[in-house]
Amino acid sequence: MDDVTFSVDGHVATITLNRPAKLNAVTPEMADAIVAHVGTCNDSDTIRCVIVTGAGERSFCAGSDIGELDRYDTPWAFRNRPDYCDAIRSLLKPTIAAVNGYAFGGGLETAMSCDIRIASDNAQFAAPEIKLGWIGGGGMATFLTHSIGPSNAAMMIMTGDPVAAEQALAWGLVSAVTTQAELLPRASEIASTIATRAPIAAETAKLNLKAAFAMPQEKAIEYERDLQTICFATEDAAEGRAAFAEKRAPLFRRR
């Protein structure tokens, strides 16, 4: 059985961490598999949205498998390992994290590397690395600070204690909380909606949101206008205008 599974339903791909007996903790081999599946998604003209989730009800992802960390011969080898969070962030397509159970350490960073996060009511979020003698290295501080504010981020990173789903919702770490049974259907519903939108516009919207974090405001607005111009010049934009005029649903082709 593959420890990372990949499926496509229409325009929506799903990457599932499939090691529930180990709380979906990620091994180096799983990281390699995630990198490969991300490449498949990025190369596809038909995949328009990607769901990332974990198998079973107990855990989305408990982070890197700590028992595997001693496989790295030197700190430099550890520093330069293939990183699954980097891979998720490199997805060109919009991404949804469907968080069931534990999202700890690298699992929390994986969820925060997705564009949209929804959680089941049993979800818990934590940055527990400090309890083991280190800190997160997959974007923990920057993502938490932007998502929930500096004080709440400091609380999570400096204590390592978990935060329940409803608190995560109140802080803005997730967009919605569902029952466990409703989690994947809700994620699929959101993904299907995104998949009906113009694909190039969705991908440039993702770039635009990243720029809003990284750039000064005036530069971000300039960049947004450039992205808008690129979208406006596509065949899909012409189709959107034609469909609006003809009062019909548009047929977007990622062109």
Side-chain angles (χ1 to χ4, degrees), residues 205-224:
K206 177 168 181 151
L207 292 173
N208 192 28
L209 288 163
K210 287 184 177 181
F213 278 103
M215 292 183 179
Q217 187 176 69
E218 289 303 316
K219 289 297 182 183
I221 293 170
E222 288 179 16
Y223 184 61
E224 179 173 275

Side-chain angles (χ1 to χ4, degrees), residues 135-215:
I135 61 171
M140 185 70 78
T142 186
F143 283 128
L144 278 179
T145 300
H146 279 98
S147 294
I148 64 178
S151 180
N152 292 329
M155 180 78 77
M156 289 189 69
I157 291 171
M158 293 178 181
T159 68
D161 291 337
V163 170
E166 290 297 335
Q167 185 64 69
L169 179 63
W171 281 352
L173 184 57
V174 299
S175 295
V177 174
T178 73
T179 65
Q180 294 179 55
E182 293 171 343
L183 179 65
L184 282 178
R186 179 60 179 141
S188 297
E189 180 184 19
I190 297 169
S192 296
T193 296
I194 293 171
T196 67
R197 310 310 190 208
I200 294 174
E203 292 174 36
T204 51
K206 177 168 181 151
L207 292 173
N208 192 28
L209 288 163
K210 287 184 177 181
F213 278 103
M215 292 183 179

Side-chain angles (χ1 to χ4, degrees), residues 114-154:
C114 295
D115 302 308
I116 297 168
R117 292 172 293 282
I118 63 172
S120 61
D121 51 18
N122 74 323
Q124 295 186 56
F125 303 84
E129 290 90 345
I130 197 167
K131 296 180 178 181
L132 299 173
W134 61 86
I135 61 171
M140 185 70 78
T142 186
F143 283 128
L144 278 179
T145 300
H146 279 98
S147 294
I148 64 178
S151 180
N152 292 329

Side-chain angles (χ1 to χ4, degrees), residues 60-64 84-85 102-112 124-129 134-140 156 160:
F60 169 74
C61 174
S64 298
Y84 48 97
C85 300
Y102 302 128
F104 283 10
L108 174 55
E109 291 167 334
T110 298
M112 293 190 296
Q124 295 186 56
F125 303 84
E129 290 90 345
W134 61 86
I135 61 171
M140 185 70 78
M156 289 189 69

